[in-house]
Amino acid sequence: MPLKRALVCAAATTLLLTAACSGDDDSESSSDATASASASATASSELPAVAPYVDIVSGTVDVDEVAESTSQTDFTLAFVLADSTGSCTPTWGGKTAIDDTTVASEIAKIDALGGTSIVSTGGETGTYLENACTTSDALVTAYETALDAAGSNHLDVDIEQTITASTVMTALAALQKARSTTVTLTLPVGGESVGLTDTEISILQAAEDAGVEVTVNPMVMNFKATEDDWGSAMTTATESVKTDVASVWTDKSETEIYAMIGVTPMIGINGSGGPTTTTAAQTLLTWAEEKGLAFVRFWSVNRDNGDCTDGKVASNCSGISQTDYAFTKLFTSFS
């Protein structure tokens, strides 16, 4: 995959250089350059099949080390929030400048590896851009600022708080119209049979109404399972989400609905349910491949180690006995 991306980038660069140097007619050069840029954008629009979440501001993960140990080069960068004053200004984690040099250096490592960065907004805590930016135009600007800082055109909107769905979807529709940004909507699940809540389904309906092309990413974590096998519980919960998605996009086939869905477990100890062992994760991955899901992710690379085995939830370890990057290595097999 990294070699393929490198060849695509090299080809796009050659096209751009050719367009810039072909003749003296400014309008012709501009037209060629625009066409080349469009081709480059199309080539980079594919969403990575595996892109685990990384708390990019924590400093607990070295991208080069992860790649060397696992060959994983694509990551979802968490989280972009409004700044500490609550203004419509994108920051990493609500406190670190969006152009922070330390964060930029980690993103540069991903680029150097030929990898792809996905920018994730929202999350469990903090002030959402989606709430701080009170107009869709302002939200589009904030999204573009964050995407440009990461050199990305992939946006993950993690919604775990109340938002005004119409404003957010109007912004996402405008963003896609302007730059063909891929959009994933990450949403919590309530359990195997519950799937998404009515509020979350209304968010999907708002996306469909606004014409936003989305992939739905259920977080199969932190719910009390009725099944003894946590791996099966996660697949059943994702099946319930599939039913919810099909209730909104009624014109799509079952195969198309599965292809609109990704899935994200929480490795190791969960707040409730779980734990997600490598065996449980493999059950989920096997099912996801069989059904043709769009992608898999997990929370998070920062936790993908056995530095704590006390059975408690921690941000920098899984809470279970495991080898370093065991889950990252496992997830790279998904296709």
Side-chain angles (χ1 to χ4, degrees):
M1 187 67 77
L3 176 59
K4 179 181 177 182
R5 291 197 188 94
L7 291 173
V8 169
C9 291
T13 301
T14 301
L15 286 170
L16 288 169
L17 289 173
T18 301
C21 300
S22 58
D24 297 325
D25 189 320
D26 290 342
S27 62
E28 182 177 345
S29 297
S30 175
S31 176
D32 289 347
T34 300
S36 298
S38 177
S40 178
T42 300
S44 64
S45 64
E46 184 179 353
L47 197 63
V50 183
Y53 284 85
V54 174
D55 180 355
I56 197 66
V57 294
S58 68
T60 61
V61 168
D62 184 308
V63 167
D64 283 337
E65 179 183 299
V66 177
E68 182 177 356
S69 299
T70 68
S71 300
Q72 180 64 38
T73 59
D74 303 324
F75 299 93
T76 304
L77 313 181
F79 286 107
V80 173
L81 294 162
D83 69 10
S84 58
T85 68
S87 71
C88 181
T89 302
T91 63
W92 294 109
K95 56 185 179 181
T96 301
I98 202 67
D99 58 354
D100 177 75
T101 56
T102 301
V103 174
S105 67
E106 288 300 301
I107 296 172
K109 291 178 182 179
I110 297 173
D111 294 340
L113 292 164
T116 296
S117 295
I118 300 170
V119 174
S120 185
T121 68
E124 184 178 10
T125 61
T127 302
Y128 281 14
L129 283 174
E130 289 78 9
N131 288 325
C133 304
T134 56
T135 68
S136 58
D137 287 347
L139 186 54
V140 170
T141 299
Y143 283 150
E144 289 187 321
T145 298
L147 289 168
D148 291 344
S152 175
N153 201 28
H154 302 291
L155 181 66
D156 172 56
V157 183
D158 183 329
I159 304 171
E160 301 178 53
Q161 299 180 21
T162 301
I163 62 164
T164 303
S166 58
T167 301
V168 174
M169 296 310 156
T170 298
L172 292 176
L175 187 70
Q176 286 191 328
K177 183 177 181 180
R179 54 194 286 166
S180 300
T181 304
T182 66
V183 174
T184 57
L185 296 178
T186 296
L187 301 166
V189 301
E192 298 106 314
S193 60
V194 176
L196 302 177
T197 66
D198 289 344
T199 297
E200 290 161 350
I201 294 173
S202 70
I203 290 172
L204 299 188
Q205 187 63 60
E208 199 274 342
D209 291 344
V212 182
E213 293 186 13
V214 300
T215 309
V216 181
N217 179 31
M219 292 181 282
V220 286
M221 60 183 79
N222 298 332
F223 63 87
K224 292 183 178 179
T226 59
E227 300 182 36
D228 293 334
D229 180 2
W230 179 245
S232 296
M234 291 191 291
T235 65
T236 303
T238 312
E239 280 282 11
S240 295
V241 173
K242 174 253 182 182
T243 300
D244 295 331
V245 174
S247 73
V248 175
W249 283 274
T250 56
D251 60 330
K252 294 187 179 295
S253 68
E254 183 173 71
T255 298
E256 290 172 324
I257 292 296
Y258 278 120
M260 283 184 65
I261 299 172
V263 68
T264 296
M266 180 175 179
I267 62 173
I269 300 299
N270 286 218
S272 59
T276 305
T277 61
T278 53
T279 300
Q282 183 62 70
T283 298
L284 180 63
L285 289 172
T286 299
W287 175 86
E289 283 201 4
E290 290 174 350
K291 297 299 184 181
L293 264 59
F295 61 77
V296 294
R297 301 171 185 169
F298 66 82
W299 182 265
S300 66
V301 178
N302 308 73
R303 305 180 74 244
D304 195 6
N305 62 74
D307 291 351
C308 62
T309 56
D310 56 5
K312 296 179 180 179
V313 175
S315 62
N316 60 349
C317 51
S318 67
I320 63 175
S321 178
Q322 64 157 99
T323 57
D324 287 352
Y325 307 127
F327 288 91
T328 306
K329 291 174 184 176
L330 180 64
F331 272 67
T332 57
S333 67
F334 177 83
S335 62

